[in-house]
């Protein structure tokens, strides 16, 4: 069993492109959760927190409605106490998703509630299969100023059914992640508990100015590919004060996959990782991958 509290700066990962480039710590700051001009509860859009009613349409309707305020002070979607069953939904810019401490977002086990999207260009194919991949539980692309946070509320991926399909070779597409943000800037993910992800937990990719702080990630140590936090082809990322129990790498620093990543040519750079407690019996606390 590997149990290591970490204080890591990794100078080798803090890539400096010129002598005038500032250290990453000087321009990645963890700010207070943004005050948004507009706020609404997911219950205002018909969501029911009974752990059985599907709320996928309600979550997406709420985000779509609040997107009208992106250029006018931004917005916040509040998830109150309850067990909120949902499939994948997309975020918008200048937006905060806030979970009450007794709120649990439950990932649906109905595959029809998970849109299938194209493989990442720096991967060339899905990780589990040759084809596409299921969109993540919380997904966003081409966004600015996104905050996913709470009073230690929970995202529960209900991953057991996905792990069984993986082991039996029954997957048609690559398993979803809990949080994936693509081609975006100014991202904060903080003060949440993530449990039983179908696969990776937190995956910022092709993005910049990212803070992941105060996250607890829990998965059985024999669960397949439940990486904790995977910054992938990202610039200016800070990961700090997290507790991770994983069936795979706790933090995996990526820049795509093999020849596809090399051809895409977007390295991860300017990365700070510090004050982590990690448990991973068979994989790395911090892995450097290509």
């Amino acid at each position: 069993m590997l149990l290591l509290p970490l204080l890591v700066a990794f100078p080798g990962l803090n890539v400096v492109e010129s002598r005038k480039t500032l250290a990453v710590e000087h321009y990645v700051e963890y700010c207070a959760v943004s005050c948004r001009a507009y706020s609404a509860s997911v219950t205002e859009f018909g969501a029911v927190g009974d752990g059985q009613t599907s709320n996928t349409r309600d979550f997406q309707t709420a985000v779509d409605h609040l997107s009208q305020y992106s250029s006018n002070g931004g917005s916040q979607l509040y998830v109150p106490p309850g067990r909120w069953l949902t499939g994948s939904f997309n975020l918008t810019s200048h937006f905060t998703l806030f979970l009450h401490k007794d709120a649990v977002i439950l990932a649906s086990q109905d595959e029809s509630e998970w849109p299938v999207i194209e493989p990442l260009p720096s991967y060339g194919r899905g990780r589990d299969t040759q084809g596409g991949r299921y969109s993540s539980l919380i997904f966003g692309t081409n966004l600015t100023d996104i905050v996913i946070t709470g009073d230690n509320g929970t995202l529960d991926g209900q991953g057991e059914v996905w792990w069984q399909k993986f082991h039996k070779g029954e997957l048609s597409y690559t398993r979803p992640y809990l949080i994936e943000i693509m081609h975006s800037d100014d991202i904060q993910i903080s003060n949440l508990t993530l449990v039983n992800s179908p696969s990776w937990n937190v995956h910022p990719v092709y993005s910049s100015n990212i803070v992941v702080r105060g996250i607890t990630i829990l998965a059985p140590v024999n669960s397949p590919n439940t990486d904790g936090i995977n910054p992938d082809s990202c610039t200016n990322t800070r990961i700090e004060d997290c507790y991770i129990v994983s069936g795979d790498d706790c933090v995996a620093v990526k820049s795509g996959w093999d020849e596809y990543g090399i051809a895409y040519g977007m390295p991860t750079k300017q990365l700070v990782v510090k004050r982590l407690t990690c448990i991973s019996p068979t994989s790395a606390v911090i892995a450097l991958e290509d």
Side-chain angles (χ1 to χ4, degrees):
M1 185 71 68
L2 187 57
L3 175 56
L4 295 177
L6 300 180
L7 177 57
V8 186
F10 286 128
L13 294 179
N14 189 10
V15 176
V16 178
E17 295 185 323
S18 75
R19 294 183 181 274
K20 295 182 179 179
T21 303
L22 296 175
V24 63
E25 292 186 358
H26 288 198
Y27 59 99
V28 176
E29 296 295 334
Y30 183 78
C31 304
V33 175
S34 299
C35 296
R36 306 299 190 183
Y38 299 88
S39 182
S41 170
V42 70
T43 57
E44 297 175 41
F45 300 88
V48 178
D50 61 4
Q52 299 179 0
T53 303
S54 174
N55 298 294
T56 306
R57 181 177 298 178
D58 304 312
F59 271 93
Q60 195 59 66
T61 298
V63 175
D64 291 346
H65 172 79
L66 292 170
S67 67
Q68 66 184 299
Y69 304 115
S70 292
S71 59
N72 189 22
S75 59
Q76 173 177 281
L77 180 62
Y78 174 67
V79 183
R83 294 172 63 80
W84 308 91
L85 183 67
T86 180
S88 174
F89 63 95
N90 297 338
L91 302 185
T92 189
S93 291
H94 306 291
F95 177 82
T96 299
L97 179 68
F98 187 95
L99 277 65
H100 184 276
K101 67 181 180 66
D102 295 321
V104 179
I105 293 182
L106 286 172
S108 173
Q109 295 179 319
D110 180 352
E111 291 185 21
S112 69
E113 297 200 85
W114 300 87
V116 176
I117 58 178
E118 293 294 318
L120 293 167
S122 59
Y123 282 74
R125 51 157 289 174
R127 294 286 294 187
D128 294 334
T129 70
Q130 286 285 350
R133 60 202 188 99
Y134 291 105
S135 182
S136 297
L137 179 64
I138 298 174
F139 181 75
T141 188
N142 296 304
L143 303 178
T144 300
D145 180 20
I146 314 110
V147 178
I148 305 169
T149 190
D151 188 17
N152 204 33
T154 299
L155 304 180
D156 185 345
Q158 300 202 99
E160 179 67 32
V161 66
W162 298 96
W163 305 333
Q164 291 180 6
K165 289 180 179 180
F166 172 79
H167 286 305
K168 294 176 182 178
E170 295 177 350
L171 290 168
S172 299
Y173 304 102
T174 292
R175 288 165 288 161
Y177 310 145
L178 285 185
I179 300 173
E180 182 177 69
I181 306 296
M182 298 173 54
H183 299 294
S184 297
D185 184 66
D186 294 339
I187 302 162
Q188 295 183 30
I189 303 170
S190 64
N191 302 332
L192 296 170
T193 296
L194 280 58
V195 300
N196 296 327
S197 177
S199 186
W200 300 349
N201 281 267
V202 179
H203 185 224
V205 58
Y206 316 139
S207 295
S208 60
N209 301 323
I210 303 153
V211 174
V212 182
R213 184 188 191 197
I215 297 292
T216 298
I217 294 175
L218 304 173
V221 294
N222 61 351
S223 55
N225 312 117
T226 51
D227 295 35
I229 303 166
N230 291 0
D232 196 344
S233 295
C234 288
T235 299
N236 255 10
T237 303
R238 176 181 290 185
I239 301 169
E240 59 189 9
D241 300 315
C242 296
Y243 180 89
I244 303 171
V245 181
S246 171
D248 207 322
D249 303 323
C250 294
V251 173
V253 184
K254 298 177 177 289
S255 297
W257 194 15
D258 295 340
E259 68 271 24
Y260 304 104
I262 293 169
Y264 196 76
M266 189 175 182
T268 288
K269 54 188 178 180
Q270 294 160 276
L271 170 68
V272 169
V273 182
K274 59 184 179 179
R275 295 191 303 271
L276 303 188
T277 299
C278 296
I279 301 173
S280 181
T282 59
S283 297
V285 170
I286 298 178
L288 308 181
E289 302 180 1
D290 59 11

